[in-house]
Each structure stands twice: as structure tokens, then as C-alpha cells.
């Protein structure tokens, strides 16, 4: 797979860390990956996403994709059970098929990583990888993203 360049590298989620310093062992969190923004002149189809670095103390539960219109915006970091957390279980998960992003467009669909805290995390969650097809070729591109969940 070739190194891709279609996705915007600079954005809200790549310019600092999002986090919570008062997380608790046993809690489940949804983390928004960078919103796919296609800066190229051709459409892309995202086929897979992954967080490259998940530290000890955090277990990945699943990846999913949701429409920002269904979640009333972009929940960067959401704790299960919080009154402001979208009811993800009732929303359509768009990750079951490739997500298409038109040329020069930011997607309304965003990806999440659902994680569970199993012990005090030893590091931050970081580096979000997107695999996609464009013009009949397959690409992979890693974007900066960083989430800090501290217990205390």
C-alpha cells in the first residue's frame, strides 16, 4: 500500500491533546478520530481506520463511524453514561461499508474508537491511521491525534 496524501494533516484534532484527568478504571470512552477531509482533486473511499498506539491500561473495544448530524456535532471525547454522550448504540454505524469522501470536502462521517480503561494508562493514545482507495489504488495515511486519559 502506498503512502497517501489526500487527507488533511492539519486540523482541530491534530493540534494538541484532548483528554480527561479524572477518568476511572472500568469506564468506557468514545474517542473521535480526526474527521476525514479530502484535500485532493479526486474522491476517496475509506476502507479501514486504526489507532496506532494504544497504551497499556486501555483496551480497544471497537471502531465505528457516525454522522455528525446524528450526534449534533463532533463529540471529541465522550464517557459512557454521561448525559451529554450520544446514544451510539441507537445510531447507524457507517463503518460497515467504505466511507466515501468527495474531492475538496470534509466528511460528515467521523470515526470513533471505543476504549475501556483497565488500569491506570501508562501513556497517551495517539497516531490515527486511515486506509483508503483512490483512483483504483490503495493508500494508507497516518494523522496526528492524541488523547490522554488519566485516572485519579
Amino acid at each position: 500500500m502506498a503512502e497517501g496524501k489526500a487527507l488533511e494533516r492539519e486540523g482541530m484534532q491534530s493540534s494538541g491533546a484532548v483528554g480527561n484527568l479524572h477518568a476511572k478504571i472500568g469506564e468506557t470512552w468514545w474517542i473521535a478520530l480526526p474527521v476525514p477531509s479530502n484535500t485532493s482533486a479526486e474522491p476517496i473511499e475509506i476502507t479501514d481506520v486504526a489507532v496506532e498506539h494504544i497504551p497499556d491500561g486501555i483496551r480497544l473495544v471497537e471502531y465505528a463511524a457516525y454522522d455528525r448530524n446524528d450526534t449534533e456535532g463532533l463529540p471529541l471525547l465522550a464517557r459512557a453514561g454521561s448525559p451529554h454522550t450520544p446514544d451510539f448504540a441507537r445510531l447507524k454505524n457507517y463503518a460497515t461499508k467504505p466511507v466515501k469522501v468527495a474531492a475538496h470536502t470534509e466528511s460528515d462521517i467521523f470515526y470513533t474508537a471505543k476504549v475501556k480503561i483497565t488500569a491506570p494508562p501508562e501513556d497517551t493514545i495517539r497516531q490515527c491511521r486511515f486506509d483508503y482507495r483512490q483512483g483504483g489504488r490503495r493508500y494508507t495515511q497516518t494523522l496526528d491525534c492524541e488523547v490522554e486519559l488519566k485516572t485519579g
Side-chain angles (χ1 to χ4, degrees), residues 84-134:
H84 302 292
T85 298
D87 188 356
F88 289 110
R90 293 182 178 264
L91 300 177
K92 180 177 179 180
N93 180 358
Y94 290 85
T96 59
K97 295 190 267 186
V99 171
K100 296 176 183 179
V101 185
H104 304 294
T105 303
E106 181 174 271
S107 178
D108 283 334
I109 306 298
F110 69 96
Y111 288 87
T112 64
K114 181 179 178 183
V115 299
K116 184 168 185 150
I117 300 174
T118 59
E122 296 185 9
D123 201 357
T124 60
I125 298 166
R126 61 181 179 276
Q127 300 300 308
C128 297
R129 188 194 79 234
F130 290 80
D131 295 340
Y132 56 90
R133 290 188 297 253
Q134 183 179 42

Side-chain angles (χ1 to χ4, degrees), residues 26-151:
E27 288 180 337
T28 300
W29 291 79
W30 281 270
I31 298 162
L33 279 58
V35 176
S37 183
N38 181 1
T39 62
S40 75
E42 293 182 56
I44 64 171
E45 283 188 320
I46 299 170
T47 56
D48 194 29
V49 297
V51 175
E52 295 287 298
H53 178 76
I54 297 178
D56 289 340
I58 296 179
R59 178 177 56 86
L60 174 69
V61 177
E62 67 179 337
Y63 294 106
Y66 302 101
D67 189 312
R68 286 191 281 183
N69 297 312
D70 294 341
T71 58
E72 298 179 11
L74 179 64
L76 293 176
L77 181 62
R79 181 178 51 84
S82 171
H84 302 292
T85 298
D87 188 356
F88 289 110
R90 293 182 178 264
L91 300 177
K92 180 177 179 180
N93 180 358
Y94 290 85
T96 59
K97 295 190 267 186
V99 171
K100 296 176 183 179
V101 185
H104 304 294
T105 303
E106 181 174 271
S107 178
D108 283 334
I109 306 298
F110 69 96
Y111 288 87
T112 64
K114 181 179 178 183
V115 299
K116 184 168 185 150
I117 300 174
T118 59
E122 296 185 9
D123 201 357
T124 60
I125 298 166
R126 61 181 179 276
Q127 300 300 308
C128 297
R129 188 194 79 234
F130 290 80
D131 295 340
Y132 56 90
R133 290 188 297 253
Q134 183 179 42
R137 296 194 64 205
R138 295 175 52 98
Y139 296 93
T140 188
Q141 186 172 346
T142 301
L143 303 177
D144 286 336
C145 65
E146 188 170 6
V147 177
E148 181 177 35
L149 291 171
K150 294 280 188 192
T151 55

Side-chain angles (χ1 to χ4, degrees), residues 7-23:
L7 295 174
E8 173 67 50
R9 292 186 179 277
E10 300 297 320
M12 173 175 57
Q13 293 157 281
S14 60
S15 60
V18 174
N20 188 297
L21 302 177
H22 305 287

